[in-house]
Amino acid sequence: MPALSSTHINILSKVAAMSSTVSATSGFWKRNQQRLAPWLFLAPGMIMFSIYVIIPIFQSIWISFYDWDGLGPKTWIGLGNYAELLDDEAFYTSLKNNILWLVLYLLAVPAGLAVALFLNQTVAGIRLYKSLFFFPFVISQVVVGLIFTWFYAPDFGLLSALIKTLTGENVAILADERYVTLGIIAAGLWPQIAYCMILYLTGLNNINPEQVEAARMDGARGWSLLWNIILPQLGPATFIAIVVTVIGALRSFDLVSIMTDGGPYGSSRVLSFYMYEQALSEYGYRMGYGAAIAVVLFMIMMVFITLFIVRMLMRERHA
Amino acid sequence: MFSFKAATGLALGYALTMSAAFAGELVINSDQSDPAPKKAMETLLEGFKAAHPEVTIKWNNFDHEGYKSAIRNFLTADAPDVVSWYSGNRMAPFVKAGLFEDVTDLWTENKLDDQLKSAVKSMEIDGKKWGIPYSYYQWGIYYRKDIFEKEGIAPPKNWAELVAACEKIKAAGMTPFAIGTKALWPTGGWFDYLDLRVNGYEFHMDLTAGKVPYTDPKVKAVFEKWAELVKPGYFLENHAAIDWQDAIPQFVQGKAPMYLMGNFAVAAMKDGGLKEEQIGFLQFPEITAGIPMAEDAPTESFHIPSGAKNKEDARKFLAYLATPEAQTKMNEVLGQLPVNNQSAKSNDPFLKAGFDMLANAYALAQFYDRDAPAEMAKVGMEGFQQFMVKPDNVDAILERLEKARGRIYK
């Protein structure tokens, strides 16, 4: 009994030491304080991150090996879902569209730079112009989608009316498999350019005026000034702009869903939309197949994310 | 102190969730978010309250599209006592997963097999009944009577007459058929009717049940008939960019004087400014002579989830829903047909026409996206849409549907 109570006291004091101030009786805490403290501070973030990010990733990968409708029993089919993906026309259409998105969406970066350079001057009311240019990024993607749907709408849309007066032909951009993805990307570029523009505007504010002055004295003008002096200083802004644009392109979903619902006959699907359609939409509920698509999308994103992280680490080391 | 607060918080939260389901309260989840269905539901609830004053009702009305995904969550997690859903293959996943309650006893007790005769087949899975149908509506060709008269066209009775009418309308500078296929399902109506008229009800049911390959020459024959309308441009151009409501103005403005649709379209046509006497209703004409005429008539129904807490009152509610009085009142507001054959007939000319047509129908199909499993319906209707844009791709499309059939019906 006496032996037991002494251990009891020992444990109690340890607990007390952990939760409040350091107690003299606690050897363990004192010895390991330096090692443990960082982990204790990291713990809340790490727990959240694993619950909401890490664990779901592995769960998705796990589900992608099953045939499951979300309600009934799961059946293990191994790589069956992936084998089916390889033979699925709709998957290739989505993949192709995703690549198209990636490439064309990056136009937002130079376009945003151009607008930022244009707006980076001191004229009366420039703040108003800046906010007007930034406006599309503030409104919801759903609204952007609707605006462009009407803009493209056959018969009453502005653009189709314009095309009709120019060519005499009625083109329904969102109903034509040749133009539909381009049409949606154009809608997506509108707010994305505004986003890149704001990144560059802040970047331009931080440009060292002395360097510009010195360059001008040395005779740098126009393109050479932009290319050799301004752009290198905008490096960080460019980096962020490219990162958000690439990720934005890969997770494009809202516009596709609002403007075409993947149509006509599935020709404007992207991977994220196809995943949603298979796993969660009215006609879907193939959780395993949807998860397999999500895993493929994750792998593609991983390529870019790794590149960015490696680059960032390199910079930190050099700095 | 902290833990005490947390504990009270937890207890409070628990009390809140529990209060949602005390005894004598009937929780109903449904998706009657449009004005007419909402009013009809209110009528039904009032009638039920009058008949059963001891039951308090808690009605959760969902948005129509959101409901389709919400139902999967609440059926498994926190089941209400009554839910609205669709009959046919659409309820099969829930029945198979054991989420719906078998209500065969209600049918036998109240002798519903006679009264709800037309919907027996669509409510039955594995020889048991899984809900109570309360309303359905006809599909058919709505046409502009005034324009037909002006152009001297008689309402077509068979395929040759329909094609001839289309020719005449096209020659007069109009597009014969209004349609908007962005949401895909309007194409299902066309496929259903063409298949029902070319091959008949039994073949159509075998096809939607996955027993016949899509590469069958009989299916090909359906698309050949369809091509006779698609290739000369008898459907609105750019239909893939618009929804069914967006095609209504074309019908109202007289640019497309025919529309194959469900009866719910009449309300939209009248809202668009058409008078009742300008709209005519036409049964889909005969194609293969001698095949008995079956029709599309999607049925709407209520079900009891197997996880319901108040099944006793839920059964009372479903029994009330099945009565001719309740169905008459409700459908009057809804502008649809009551399923109970002892209900009072409506004075609405379109409902009368629909009632006569359905009463004499050889059999009723539910609609492509309810007869075929959801996955097949999606692939199928996407194929139909593609066909309506590119009729020459028919073989590739049918190959694709066949591949999907092989995967989906195992």
Side-chain angles (χ1 to χ4, degrees), chain A residues 198-218:
Chain A
I198 215 78
L199 289 173
Y200 277 122
L201 273 178
T202 35
L204 286 170
N205 272 339
N206 296 328
I207 284 206
N208 187 344
E210 283 169 20
Q211 273 189 31
V212 179
E213 197 71 5
R216 279 195 197 277
M217 286 196 166
D218 287 344

